[in-house]
Amino acid sequence: PTDIRDVLVSEVDQGGVEAAVAEYETLREQYYGSWTYDFREATLPDVAERLAVQQPDAALALLDHNLTHYPASAMTYVYKARILAGVKRDFDGAIAMVREAQRVQPDAPGLDRMLEQFEAAREAAVSPESP
């Protein structure tokens, strides 16, 4: 079979994120546990990363869907934070996602530093420019 990441990117391109989520669920129901496709926690974040620049809303929707299967996925919240800050320039949203990652996995490395970076970027974005 084709790699599920490629299948999902193609589904987003052809039919939108709803089609990709439906295809993911269909394949998951049919093949979960068979090693035919990879349904681990990182699969949808990997797809979202591929889509982030060109289709950030689709990427965020896939990450939201990942949380239905992996609600305690700090990694998923971190990916959302990166897209929100880096692509959408939504630093408040990114900060909220990092805080959620900290809530679900308090010992995850690098989250304090990421939070500081997004807070600094938010301040720089709202501060008047220096002469």
Side-chain angles (χ1 to χ4, degrees):
T2 305
D3 185 287
I4 193 167
R5 292 161 189 83
D6 296 333
V7 170
L8 296 175
V9 168
S10 178
E11 283 293 327
V12 169
D13 289 343
Q14 293 176 6
V17 71
E18 296 84 11
V21 167
E23 182 68 8
Y24 177 82
E25 287 303 318
T26 298
L27 293 172
R28 185 179 171 93
E29 185 176 312
Q30 186 175 2
Y31 293 106
Y32 187 82
S34 69
W35 300 104
T36 303
Y37 291 106
D38 182 358
F39 297 105
R40 290 177 292 177
E41 179 183 355
T43 299
L44 290 178
D46 287 349
V47 175
E49 186 173 51
R50 288 171 59 177
L51 296 170
V53 173
Q54 297 297 320
Q55 299 181 61
D57 292 332
L60 291 167
L62 288 175
L63 292 168
D64 286 338
H65 189 72
N66 201 50
L67 291 169
T68 66
H69 292 288
Y70 302 99
S73 173
M75 171 182 45
T76 301
Y77 289 111
V78 166
Y79 275 68
K80 286 186 73 170
R82 288 181 186 159
I83 293 169
L84 288 168
V87 179
K88 298 191 75 82
R89 310 306 287 170
D90 176 1
F91 297 110
D92 289 332
I95 289 166
M97 290 301 102
V98 174
R99 288 188 177 138
E100 193 60 23
Q102 289 174 319
R103 184 188 68 76
V104 298
Q105 191 177 351
D107 60 341
L111 294 180
D112 290 338
R113 179 71 181 128
M114 181 178 277
L115 186 60
E116 290 172 6
Q117 289 173 337
F118 291 154
E119 287 172 341
R122 177 182 61 189
E123 290 303 313
V126 297
S127 298
E129 293 185 30
S130 301

